[in-house]
Each structure stands twice: as C-alpha cells, then as structure tokens.
Amino acid sequence: MMSRFADAAKVATSKYPKTTNKTIKYGTAGFRSKAEELDFIMYRMGLLAALRACDTKAAIGVMITASHNPVQDNGVKLVDPMGEMLAPAWEVHATTLVNASDDEIPRALEKIGGEARIDLNHSPLVFVGRDTRPSSSQLCDAVISGVRVVGGDVKDLGVITTPIIHYVITCHNDGGTYGVPSEEGYYQKICEAFVKLRSSGASNGNYEPIVYYDGANGVGALMIANFLKHLGNSLSVSIYNDDGVLNHLCGADYVKVQQKWPEGVPRIQNVRCVSVDGDADRVIYSYIDSNDKYHMLDGDKIATLIAGYIQELLKNSGLKLKLGLVQTAYANGASTEYITRKLGVPVACAMTGVKHLHHMALQFDIGVYFEANGHGTVIFSKEARAAIRDAAQRNNENANKLSQVLDVINETVGDAISDMLLVETVLHARGWSIFDWDKAYADLPNRQMKVTVADRTVITTTDAERVCVTPEGLQNSINEMVKAYPQGRSFVRPSGTEDIVRVYAEASSQEQADELAIKVAGAVYDQAGGVGSKPQSL
Ligand code: G16
C-alpha cells in the first residue's frame, strides 16, 4: 500500500485539491460543511477509511450525510468495525490528514500508518452509503477514489440510512452473529421481532396501531416503505414529507428545536406523529390534543418509556441485571427527576454526541442512552444478552419478551425507525395512548437558540458541557441571569456540526424560559464575539 501513497498525492492534486487553509476538526459526528467545500475531505476520508480497515483488519463504513443540517450542507461519518463511531485516536488522524497540504498527504499517511503500526499488506474493504442530498453521489465518488487509490475494495450500499450501514458493518465483521449483513436482513430481523411481540393483536386498551410518519423529505421516507413490506397489518403508517426540501420545516430537528408541528403532515387531533431526521437516526413524537394544543415527546420521554418497560420486564423475570440511563446536559430537568426518583434508575450525564453516550452506557449491564434530540438506543453487555436468551429458553415469559425486544433494537447505533418500533411495542404492551405516555411527567418549559460568533472555538466547557470555562466571565453572567428564574437552568456550548454556538435554557414557564434564553444568547454575543445582529427575540 505504501508504494501507492505517492499516487494518493497525485490524484489529490489533479482531482481533489485542497480548497481551504482553514483548520478543520473532526466534530460531533465527523466533518460537516457546505457541500461544495467537501470534495477533498471526502477523498481523504476514503484514504483514511482504507488505512483504518488495515489497522483493524476489518471492514470500515463511510456514511455521506449531514443528517439534520440543511440540504446545501453535507458531511461524512466513519463507522468502526463493530458499528461504533470512529475511535478517538483516529479522529485525531482524520483531522491531521484533512489539514495536510496535497503534497503532504503521503507523509501524513505514513505517519498515521507508523503510529498505529498498521499492516499495510492487508487488503482493505470499505462500505460506503449516502443520504438523498443532491451532492451526496459526487461526494461518494470522491470517497471511493480515495479508497481505491491505495488499493482498497469498495462495497457501495447506495442510498441508505446511517443506522443500516452501522448494522451491516457489524454483521459483516462478526460473521453474521448479530444478523444477516444486508439491508434486507435488517428489515427482516427487526420487523419479525416486532410482529411477534404483538401476537395478541395490533390494538390493545388505549393503544391504536396508527401513526403519521414525517420523513423529513429524506432517506427515512424511502426506507420506511421497505420496513412496511415486512410489517403486514401490525402497524398502519401514513408517510408524509417524502419528496420536498430535506429537513425544511419538518423532521426531528425542526420539531424538537422549534417545538412545532411539522409542515406537510395533516394537523389531525390525537394522532401520533413520528418525525425522523435527514439520515433517520433520530426520532421525535408529537401530537395535537383535543384542545388543539401541540405536545412534543422527545428523546427524554422515549428513554423513560423504554427504561420503565425494561425495568418491569427485568423485575418480573427475576433477572438481576444493572439497568442505567445516559443523558446529556440537554435532558429536561423533569425527566432526570422522574428517572431517578420515580423509576429509581441511575442516570449518568455525557457530553453531546452519541459516541460519548454510547461509551458511558457500557458501564451498565443494560444501558439506555438518549439525547433529548431523539438520538439514542439501548445496549446490552454480552453477559446480559446471554442471561436473557438463556432465561428465555427456559420458558421465562418476561425474559422471552425481553429477548424479542432485543431484536427490535439496533444496538449498533440509534435508529429512528427501530426506535419508533420499540416505542410502539411498549405502548402496545402497556395498552397506552400517547396521552397516557405523555402524562408520566411534565417537561419543564425550555428553549434552544443559536448564536453566530466569529470563532466558536473561543467557547470551551467542562462538566459534561454544563459549565462554560471560556471566555472568562461568561459563566458568571449566566449564573447571575439564571438566579432570577424559578427552576432556571441554562448552558452554552459550541456546536460540533454547525458553525454556531448553542444556547439552552429552561425555567418554570415558557415565557421565562424564552426570556432567559434570549438573555443568555445576548451574553454569548457580547462576550464571545457575536457577528450579525444581536439576538433580541426568538
Ligand atoms: C449529530 C450527533 C448527535 C448530536 C447532534 C448535534 O447528530 O450524532 O449526537 O446531538 O449532531 O450536535 P451539535 O450540537 O454538536 O451540533 P446528527 O443527527 O446531526 O448526526
């Protein structure tokens, strides 16, 4: 492979030249930017994926997507052999490689190869997948060029969701233990378990098997149709937002941040609406009540629903396994209170980014992890999985249910559609309508805002992003502002996927949460070098 590193520089110069001198960093979920700035990054990520495949002697995944970002953006996420996000040491390599000049590419590759002691004689295999953005196909070609120039082989999964590529990589590398390594294998595994779990009929008590599905005009709208082929009449799903502008006024991020019903979905009272994001790895539920009031059930509500159900199955099965939940600073204060006080389940707080939550969830036998934005899943330790399967074989009814629940879940990464099927499973089992679910606890009113600053890296944080370290004095200002609001809480952090600073505030009323968010956003603008007009309203 080493002999081909010189070719890597030649192809870079002729086809994918570096177009910026700005320092670029591997962010919350890989590299993200305007699509026209990404060709050289994609090409280099093809090179890096091939190297990582040699390093791990396993297939590696590359997903081309900017997920929740607007359609003109794009991005790339690398997937490690067991479906994990790229290892932190390799995020550093990715950053090094992207920031090298075209001529420096061979040296950068050699350095990475040397540091990681890679066997460069291994024949690398890289799976690639992409979302529906108009730019994704061309960017995918750049990744493929990168893999091939160093002698790697490519399997192109075409247009696909992020969670499916995580699943296929895992199954390919573990010899099919987790499931059949194909898109079809995924649908079959999840849907079969889902249908079995409702063998007693699709309706139950207050539960009706009907949902409206907001596909965010992305790949999630295409893939749900494939799931439906395997679901028979177990769930009726009406698909909306399947051919408009990606993530525009719809989808999981819009619904969560704007706290609004998605455009394009009929505003019918008392129907469950499921919104997914641009690569279908996040999910948010919402509904309009009989008084025409909008309600949103986010990742916190999903996490508590799932954790409560698993806790009950564990208790009834007699299995002694440690269940825990992982959230981030965005978790609504009321949800944390409910989980710890009412459910008695331990809660840990991680930094934003599924890679951080996933890692922290590994400390439990069964770790439920969810970001408030609807990104999350459940993971089981090897021992927990074996204990559940074993008890199920011994006809323990609750363990048997848990064993089937395990197959509805995509443990490799959060999947909007598999999470939806899990939520539907729990609601069905409990005979709950969406109101029954919603009334478990009332969210503290909250508000999110974005502030544009000249350089968002001037904001640094600690304590799982709940405390701002720099610019000096900003945290004191926030503390002073928060004091004035009953149940007030606020934090700021630089986004790892957009060129902005995020502001979160909660308080005892919506007016107060909004007011606090605007004040804190103003402080960020003043003290962290805001650009454009100062935020003075929502
Ligand atoms: C990605 C990450 C999520 C994160 C989100 C926002 O989601 O996978 O873990 O919460 O970005 O991150 P930030 O606040 O740093 O911009 P997605 O769905 O866009 O890939």
Side-chain angles (χ1 to χ4, degrees), residues 461-480:
T461 60
T462 185
D463 189 17
E465 304 175 315
R466 290 173 288 196
V467 175
C468 177
V469 177
T470 61
E472 215 185 314
L474 181 54
Q475 185 59 47
N476 283 342
S477 308
I478 297 172
N479 293 345
E480 283 308 309

Side-chain angles (χ1 to χ4, degrees), residues 76-350:
V76 57
K77 307 181 183 182
L78 266 71
V79 184
D80 258 359
M82 283 303 129
E84 322 92 307
M85 300 289 176
L86 186 65
W90 279 76
E91 289 191 4
V92 177
H93 294 325
T95 300
T96 306
L97 187 59
V98 162
N99 288 293
S101 68
D102 293 335
D103 294 343
E104 284 165 355
I105 287 179
R107 269 207 48 189
L109 291 173
E110 275 167 35
K111 193 162 168 272
I112 295 166
E115 271 174 27
R117 299 183 187 193
I118 293 173
D119 171 10
L120 296 172
N121 294 318
H122 180 80
S123 302
L125 172 62
V126 176
F127 283 71
V128 295
R130 60 182 197 275
D131 71 12
T132 53
R133 284 163 210 267
S135 58
S136 290
S137 177
Q138 182 192 321
L139 293 173
C140 190
D141 290 345
V143 172
I144 293 173
S145 280
V147 177
R148 292 213 169 121
V149 80
V150 287
D153 207 1
V154 173
K155 272 205 177 153
D156 187 352
L157 298 176
V159 173
I160 200 148
T161 68
T162 296
I164 298 184
I165 195 167
H166 280 256
Y167 164 87
V168 172
I169 286 287
T170 306
C171 300
H172 175 88
N173 287 324
D174 76 359
T177 309
Y178 189 63
V180 178
S182 68
E183 198 185 324
E184 193 57 25
Y186 188 66
Y187 303 135
Q188 270 171 8
K189 178 180 176 186
I190 289 179
C191 297
E192 234 171 65
F194 175 80
V195 173
K196 256 195 221 157
L197 274 161
R198 50 179 61 199
S199 52
S200 56
S203 302
N204 182 28
N206 293 339
Y207 177 83
E208 286 303 329
I210 299 164
V211 298
Y212 282 9
Y213 180 92
D214 160 20
N217 296 316
V219 63
L222 302 179
M223 297 294 134
I224 186 69
N226 297 336
F227 275 89
L228 292 185
K229 289 182 198 146
H230 296 269
L231 289 176
N233 54 9
S234 59
L235 186 66
S236 151
V237 180
S238 307
I239 305 169
Y240 300 98
N241 293 331
D242 58 353
D243 67 353
V245 180
L246 182 69
N247 295 328
H248 182 60
L249 305 177
C250 62
D253 199 61
Y254 172 80
V255 167
K256 168 70 182 149
V257 177
Q258 303 300 325
Q259 306 185 18
K260 283 187 185 149
W261 187 255
E263 303 230 335
V265 179
R267 199 186 153 90
I268 307 282
Q269 291 177 347
N270 304 331
V271 168
R272 291 192 295 285
C273 174
V274 177
S275 294
V276 307
D277 71 341
D279 61 343
D281 58 6
R282 293 197 213 171
V283 62
I284 300 284
Y285 272 72
S286 44
Y287 70 97
I288 307 286
D289 69 17
S290 310
N291 298 319
D292 216 37
K293 187 166 175 246
Y294 170 76
H295 300 259
M296 187 227 326
L297 289 87
D298 63 4
D300 299 337
K301 284 256 158 129
I302 294 172
T304 49
L305 179 81
I306 294 170
Y309 184 59
I310 293 180
Q311 187 188 41
E312 188 182 296
L313 290 180
L314 276 179
K315 192 169 154 237
N316 295 343
S317 66
L319 286 164
K320 299 268 172 290
L321 295 170
K322 192 174 165 207
L323 171 70
L325 201 140
V326 185
Q327 303 185 306
T328 69
Y330 290 103
N332 196 279
S335 75
T336 316
E337 171 96 3
Y338 174 80
I339 298 157
T340 43
R341 298 255 166 106
K342 185 91 199 287
L343 298 183
V345 172
V347 179
C349 185

Side-chain angles (χ1 to χ4, degrees), residues 28 32 67-68 77 277 282 371 373 493 495-497 502:
T28 309
R32 260 183 220 185
S67 192
H68 75 274
K77 307 181 183 182
D277 71 341
R282 293 197 213 171
E371 296 185 291
N373 64 21
R493 54 174 287 278
S495 163
T497 60
R502 297 198 195 278

